Amino acid sequence: MDSFHRGMSDIATSQAYTIQIDETIEVHVQADPCKRVRMMAMLALDSHQLGDDQLQALLVLNQPGDAYPLLTVSIDSGSGHLMVWTSVEAHDTDTDQFTDTFGRLVRRARGILTLLRSGLYGQPAARDLPVGVGSRA
C-alpha cells in the first residue's frame, strides 16, 4: 500500500511509467500539468491497417457509459497506433480506484484487439505490429 502511494506521488510529480502487458499492449501512466493521471494502453495495431467499417465500430465504443472514468479509443498521433486512454484527478486516485481503472483499461484494449482481429467488422487486422517499451517519446 505504501509503495502504491509513493508511486502515485511520483506520477503526480510528472514521472511516467510504462508497463508492458504482453507483445500486443503497452500501458503508459503519467501525470499531466492539470494534476490528472493519464493511462494510455497502446495497441499493436496501426490505424492505417483498419478499414472504414472497423474505424466506425471503434467510434461506437466512445459513447459515454455509466462507468467512471470514461475509456476512450483514439489514435496516437506520434506512432499511428490505436490506443485506449483515460484520465483521473490525481487526488482521487486511491488503490482500489487505480486498480479498477487499470484493469478496465487493459480489458478494453484486449477486447478491441480481439474484435478487430476477428474480422467481424471488415478484413481482420494484421497481427505483426508489436508495441515495445520505449516506442513512444
Side-chain angles (χ1 to χ4, degrees):
M1 181 77 98
D2 287 337
S3 64
F4 173 82
H5 290 295
R6 278 194 304 274
M8 288 308 299
S9 228
D10 290 344
I11 291 169
T13 58
S14 297
Q15 290 190 18
Y17 296 90
T18 300
I19 302 109
Q20 188 77 37
I21 303 299
D22 56 32
E23 68 278 352
T24 62
I25 301 171
E26 177 180 278
V27 179
H28 300 262
V29 180
Q30 67 186 68
D32 70 17
C34 300
K35 301 292 182 201
R36 296 188 66 82
V37 175
R38 288 187 300 170
M39 289 185 247
M40 299 162 287
M42 307 301 291
L43 286 70
L45 287 176
D46 187 316
S47 60
H48 296 96
Q49 295 176 315
L50 304 177
D52 290 342
D53 289 342
Q54 292 169 316
L55 291 172
Q56 286 179 347
L58 292 175
L59 288 176
V60 171
L61 296 175
N62 283 341
Q63 300 302 316
D66 293 337
Y68 172 83
L70 179 65
L71 300 177
T72 304
V73 180
S74 188
I75 298 171
D76 179 59
S77 60
S79 68
H81 283 265
L82 282 178
M83 69 178 181
V84 181
W85 66 275
T86 191
S87 79
V88 294
E89 290 187 33
H91 68 272
D92 285 345
T93 310
D94 64 28
T95 305
D96 292 336
Q97 180 183 5
F98 183 85
T99 303
D100 180 56
T101 301
F102 188 87
R104 284 181 50 234
L105 185 78
V106 171
R107 284 190 303 277
R108 174 68 58 94
R110 284 192 174 133
I112 288 170
L113 284 169
T114 300
L115 174 74
L116 293 175
R117 289 180 173 160
S118 73
L120 181 62
Y121 294 100
Q123 193 71 326
R127 298 175 181 260
D128 59 354
L129 184 64
V131 290
V133 173
S135 63
R136 286 185 80 232

